[in-house]
Amino acid sequence: MESPFRLVDLDRSTSPPPGPDRVLVGMAAQPKTVTGEFDVLLTAAPGAPRPWVSCPDPHATARRLRDAVTRQPAACVALVQVLRMGAVLPPPDRLLVESLAYSTLQGGAAFRAWLASARRRPRPPRPAAEPVRLRRDGDRLTVALDRPWVRNAVDAATRDALCEALEVAVADPSITGVDLHGHGPASCSGADLAEFGTARDPAEAHRVRVHRSPAALLQRCGPKVTAHLHGACVGAGIELAAFTGRVLAAPDTVIRLPETGMGLIPGAGGTASLPPRIGRERTAYLALSGAPLTAVEALRWGLVDEAIDASPALAASGAVR
């Protein structure tokens, strides 16, 4: 079987058309106009413009990407396929395609192997009374994730409560601004590992994901939402924030998309929310590499709109009601 990874040195050769079942990476000493549909573009030039990713050693970065694709070929190829299709789909359909691919991978051997080897965090002794807290102040609504003991990891109850909060923002035209926060040391550390992968029916999981979707609601009300990021913003923590009209990040913000390492792709809307901000090539790089992105780097890329001086964390769990 042909390798699912293809590297093209654009300083030496022209690009072949990408195969539908491989990840195509191009690299060059300096950014240049290229032909062909590359999934990732690497350059040694600092501060390269979109769609290029600057890295000190493109060859070493390409090797790391090759190794990631070799370890999880199904997830990595599915990722770039979804991103390619998303470029020509209307926004709601991008979420559908993402969920279909995610559900397919969720039933695959690679994810099941990762799940079997992962250390599952035990369930808390009792669920959060209010995993999402709301406060109305005039025409502004504050929405705060309130599970700081798990860094606001998203479980089913949190997802449902977040949907209810965002439904208010969508339905009430008198709400002109929404602030999205996370209490405690981190905005959101992604999916809750206490529940992650427990769905045994991928088809039913897809149906639930489509009908109870914070991402779909943010597609509708995102322009009036400001996301306040601090600490770990992993998976859903950045995928949902990227839908908002404005993203503010504290200096300690660290962004990651780790899903392909688990045999999955981003499943909280990331393949739909990140490309409009940073392009599908940089989105693919983040997801394939799992590399962290600092607040300064995210600001340079346009994933963050403003870097703020201090953490916006709402440390007291009762601060927002």
Side-chain angles (χ1 to χ4, degrees), residues 21 82 104 113 159 165 168 177 273 299:
D21 57 349
V82 168
T104 299
R159 177 204 64 209
V168 173
S273 64
L299 178 64

Side-chain angles (χ1 to χ4, degrees), residues 121 123-133 144-150 152-159 161 183 192 195 317:
R121 183 180 59 78
R123 290 179 181 272
R126 57 184 174 81
E130 293 184 69
V132 177
R133 296 183 182 269
L145 304 182
D146 192 23
R147 301 179 74 224
W149 58 91
V150 289
N152 295 313
V154 179
D155 61 1
T158 304
R159 177 204 64 209
H183 285 153
D192 191 331
E195 289 187 355
S317 63

Side-chain angles (χ1 to χ4, degrees), residues 162-174:
L162 183 57
C163 283
E164 291 173 5
L166 294 173
E167 284 165 357
V168 173
V170 169
D172 189 345
S174 70

Side-chain angles (χ1 to χ4, degrees), residues 232-264:
C233 298
V234 180
I238 186 59
E239 295 173 49
L240 296 176
F243 282 112
T244 67
R246 188 161 179 78
V247 180
L248 310 181
D252 65 343
T253 300
V254 179
I255 291 166
R256 284 198 310 117
L257 293 176
E259 293 92 343
T260 58
M262 306 171 187
L264 299 172

Side-chain angles (χ1 to χ4, degrees), residues 4-5 22-25 39-41 61 64-81 83 257-262 264-266 280-291:
F5 180 86
R22 66 187 179 194
V23 177
L24 187 63
V25 176
D39 298 304
V40 179
L41 290 166
T61 300
R64 288 193 291 271
L65 292 176
R66 179 201 62 199
D67 292 344
V69 174
T70 301
R71 286 192 298 269
Q72 296 287 0
C76 292
V77 170
L79 169 78
V80 298
Q81 289 171 336
L83 289 171
L257 293 176
E259 293 92 343
T260 58
M262 306 171 187
L264 299 172
I265 65 171
R280 70 173 181 84
E281 296 88 353
R282 286 177 168 179
T283 301
Y285 169 77
L286 287 179
L288 291 170
S289 68

Side-chain angles (χ1 to χ4, degrees), residues 23-257:
V23 177
L24 187 63
V25 176
M27 66 178 183
Q30 296 290 330
K32 60 179 65 178
T33 301
V34 298
T35 58
E37 292 292 324
F38 284 92
D39 298 304
V40 179
L41 290 166
L42 304 174
T43 180
R50 172 175 163 179
W52 292 83
V53 174
S54 297
C55 47
D57 186 344
H59 289 277
T61 300
R63 286 194 295 271
R64 288 193 291 271
L65 292 176
R66 179 201 62 199
D67 292 344
V69 174
T70 301
R71 286 192 298 269
Q72 296 287 0
C76 292
V77 170
L79 169 78
V80 298
Q81 289 171 336
V82 168
L83 289 171
R84 292 170 194 162
M85 286 187 285
V88 296
L89 291 175
D93 289 348
R94 295 172 197 167
L95 292 179
L96 290 174
V97 169
E98 177 187 279
S99 182
L100 287 167
Y102 186 94
S103 296
T104 299
L105 293 166
Q106 200 173 32
F111 174 62
R112 290 298 164 192
W114 178 88
L115 198 62
S117 66
R119 176 185 292 180
R120 186 178 295 280
R121 183 180 59 78
R123 290 179 181 272
R126 57 184 174 81
E130 293 184 69
V132 177
R133 296 183 182 269
L134 303 183
R135 183 180 65 208
R136 177 77 182 260
D137 184 8
D139 61 359
R140 295 198 70 84
L141 180 70
T142 298
V143 179
L145 304 182
D146 192 23
R147 301 179 74 224
W149 58 91
V150 289
R151 297 178 181 264
N152 295 313
V154 179
D155 61 1
T158 304
R159 177 204 64 209
D160 291 345
L162 183 57
C163 283
E164 291 173 5
L166 294 173
E167 284 165 357
V168 173
V170 169
D172 189 345
S174 70
I175 295 174
T176 60
V178 179
D179 292 291
L180 181 61
H181 291 270
H183 285 153
S187 292
C188 176
S189 59
D192 191 331
L193 292 182
E195 289 187 355
F196 193 51
T198 56
R200 296 301 174 184
D201 184 343
E204 177 63 14
H206 166 66
R207 188 189 69 82
V208 172
R209 194 178 301 110
V210 168
H211 287 283
R212 299 295 288 167
S213 172
L217 290 163
L218 282 168
Q219 281 186 330
R220 299 171 63 187
C221 69
K224 63 181 178 181
V225 180
T226 298
H228 301 259
L229 305 184
H230 69 282
C233 298
V234 180
I238 186 59
E239 295 173 49
L240 296 176
F243 282 112
T244 67
R246 188 161 179 78
V247 180
L248 310 181
D252 65 343
T253 300
V254 179
I255 291 166
R256 284 198 310 117
L257 293 176

